[in-house]
Amino acid sequence: MSQELETMELRISIFLRYGVLFAGALMAIGWLGGVSFSGNPFDAFHIYGHDSFRIQISRIIDSRDYFAIISYFGLVALISLPILRVALTAVLFFKQREYLLSGVAVFVLIALVASFQLGLIE
Amino acid sequence: MVEILILVTAVVAGFLGALLGIGGGMIVIPVLTLILGVDIRYAIAASLVSIVATSSGAAASFLRDRLTNLRLAVVLEVGTVLGAATGFLIVRHVNSKSLYFLFAAFLIYTALSMFRKKQDSRAKINHPWSERLKLGGMFTEHDGTVIHYGVEQVPLGIFFMYFAGILSAVLGIGSGIFKVMAMDGAMKIPMKVSSATSNFMIGVTATASAGAYLMSGDVHPEIACPVAIGIIAGSWMGARVMPKLPAQTIRKIFIVVLIIVSIQMLIKGVSL
């Protein structure tokens, strides 16, 4: 294994570790701030009811549910980690002049973003 | 105290997920649906989010232990991401009953075939794509032995990864089992490297469909947050134990998990 690759892997390792901690902290603050510890909080989810992400966000902003907003920030941050990881990998491979592998990483990145759009299709 | 139950479950799922190179969804989904009565769609969405947490948290440890093959992961992610996008579209239009049965049969077959294997896989020849992209690598065992390995049948590996991605999105699992199976069985990569690289890839695979589920409104913080928090803690612990275990022990644990999951899938398929 080359020294450059070891350095690259170490950078990604550090990025992932702190990213998970950051997202986890946001989710913990949001969840613990809103949790009641009484009854079954999952009662509302026994039957599937379809509200899009935009509607959910509009609802919590209108109701000024700040803990829910923090929770969503945490979720989005967590889901963004692998995307940023792939982007970082593409950049680092490019810097190493590994153009083919960098191109493969860019393709994965585009496919990821495109897959998100599928969720908006009813 | 339902919150405590789901937190403890998530910690256990995260620990096993990191240890075995799986996402932990196969533990979280039954608890959410069978015990807590959550609709399967919400459970799948929450599971996928938790899988992102498992993979991202444990992958950092695996990278530090020099087990993850980053170059190989990037190449195989082409298959898993396209598969996950396909799977998200499939789950919206197809009854998954037959998939559960196929899944169960596949796992049982794999468990039986893994019983016969006694030695860790080693590639005898390096595939031309592996030569071109320098996909082979090396790692150090805990006794100090340096292991060099090559990679066989790269296109077949990507093909298997595509189906692993589909199953990940359809069933809300990390599909680590299938990824490890493809790398260990078809590509002849050592088990430890397969597990670590699979775990590293699982996050990207799950993100493809988790993002789609989030946009469609199926991810709810009331469910996904406690699950993800517990999983982060569990995977942190699991990643610390994994490098200290020998390959044969990991394989034996893996076989037991395969059998348990196959029975789970059969029961689920019958109940649909």
Side-chain angles (χ1 to χ4, degrees):
Chain A
M1 190 184 295
S2 70
Q3 185 64 43
E4 291 85 359
L5 188 58
E6 284 191 21
T7 305
M8 185 170 76
E9 291 193 357
L10 185 62
R11 285 179 189 171
I12 293 172
S13 166
I14 292 166
F15 163 74
L16 285 173
R17 185 176 52 185
Y18 286 108
V20 169
L21 289 176
F22 174 71
L26 285 177
M27 287 188 290
I29 291 166
W31 178 62
L32 289 171
V35 75
S36 65
F37 289 107
S38 63
N40 187 344
F42 303 120
D43 281 345
F45 304 111
H46 289 177
I47 299 170
Y48 184 67
H50 198 81
D51 280 337
S52 72
F53 181 66
R54 282 178 192 160
I55 292 172
Q56 290 172 16
I57 295 298
S58 298
R59 190 188 304 135
I60 60 170
I61 289 174
D62 289 345
S63 62
R64 296 185 181 182
D65 186 346
Y66 297 116
F67 285 117
I69 292 170
I70 292 170
S71 295
Y72 272 103
F73 265 116
L75 285 170
V76 171
L78 184 67
I79 290 176
S80 300
L81 277 180
I83 298 172
L84 294 173
R85 195 273 283 169
V86 173
L88 187 61
T89 302
V91 170
L92 293 174
F93 273 132
F94 188 84
K95 281 185 176 177
Q96 279 199 307
R97 298 184 180 179
E98 296 268 11
Y99 300 123
L100 191 53
L101 275 174
S102 179
V104 172
V106 168
F107 179 83
V108 172
L109 187 64
I110 293 168
L112 274 173
V113 174
S115 71
F116 278 36
Q117 301 300 311
L118 296 176
L120 299 173
I121 301 169
E122 289 299 322
Chain B
M1 289 294 103
V2 174
E3 292 87 352
I4 304 298
L5 170 65
I6 198 64
L7 260 181
V8 171
T9 303
V11 169
V12 172
F15 183 84
L16 290 176
L19 196 65
L20 302 173
I22 58 176
M26 61 188 73
I27 298 165
V28 167
I29 290 177
V31 171
L32 283 173
T33 55
L34 303 177
I35 298 176
L36 300 175
V38 172
D39 185 274
I40 186 78
R41 288 172 188 261
Y42 296 136
I44 286 173
S47 171
L48 285 166
V49 171
S50 76
I51 289 162
V52 176
T54 313
S55 179
S56 299
S61 301
F62 289 139
L63 277 171
R64 281 199 302 275
D65 293 324
R66 310 293 184 217
L67 290 171
T68 299
N69 187 325
L70 186 64
R71 305 171 75 94
L72 182 64
V74 169
V75 172
L76 297 180
E77 278 165 359
V78 171
T80 64
V81 170
L82 293 177
T86 307
F88 179 78
L89 293 174
I90 288 173
V91 80
R92 300 259 147 175
H93 299 98
V94 174
N95 186 320
S96 58
K97 183 173 182 131
S98 56
L99 270 176
Y100 273 107
F101 285 126
L102 279 172
F103 198 136
F106 196 38
L107 291 183
I108 291 168
Y109 170 79
T110 308
L112 291 174
S113 65
M114 287 181 83
F115 259 124
R116 292 196 296 270
K117 278 192 159 182
K118 298 297 179 191
Q119 297 299 320
D120 218 0
S121 298
R122 291 286 188 280
K124 292 184 175 61
I125 52 166
N126 219 3
H127 190 273
W129 292 14
S130 176
E131 292 281 356
R132 173 78 177 83
L133 296 167
K134 292 179 272 186
L135 299 181
M138 53 171 274
F139 68 97
T140 308
E141 290 278 19
H142 58 274
D143 62 359
T145 310
V146 177
I147 307 290
H148 292 266
Y149 62 91
V151 180
E152 291 183 12
Q153 306 188 87
V154 178
L156 185 64
I158 295 172
F159 182 71
F160 282 149
M161 293 298 160
Y162 177 74
F163 285 98
I166 290 176
L167 288 171
S168 171
V170 169
L171 301 176
I173 59 171
S175 280
I177 284 172
F178 295 100
K179 292 179 182 126
V180 171
M181 196 188 304
M183 284 188 273
D184 180 45
M187 303 171 84
K188 305 295 179 194
I189 297 166
M191 191 67 168
K192 279 187 176 181
V193 176
S194 299
S195 293
T197 305
S198 161
N199 205 297
F200 191 75
M201 289 163 53
I202 283 170
V204 174
T205 311
T207 292
S209 48
Y213 279 108
L214 179 70
M215 291 295 125
S216 69
D218 290 344
V219 176
H220 289 274
E222 297 92 329
I223 307 169
C225 286
V227 168
I229 292 163
I231 290 261
I232 289 169
S235 65
W236 181 82
M237 292 185 273
R240 268 152 183 75
V241 174
M242 193 262 190
K244 295 168 186 166
L245 294 177
Q248 289 303 323
T249 304
I250 295 173
R251 186 183 290 276
K252 283 172 187 169
I253 295 171
F254 207 67
I255 289 169
V256 174
V257 172
L258 283 177
I259 293 168
I260 292 169
V261 175
S262 64
I263 293 167
Q264 198 180 81
M265 288 293 155
L266 280 173
I267 293 167
K268 187 69 187 173
V270 169
S271 68
L272 282 175

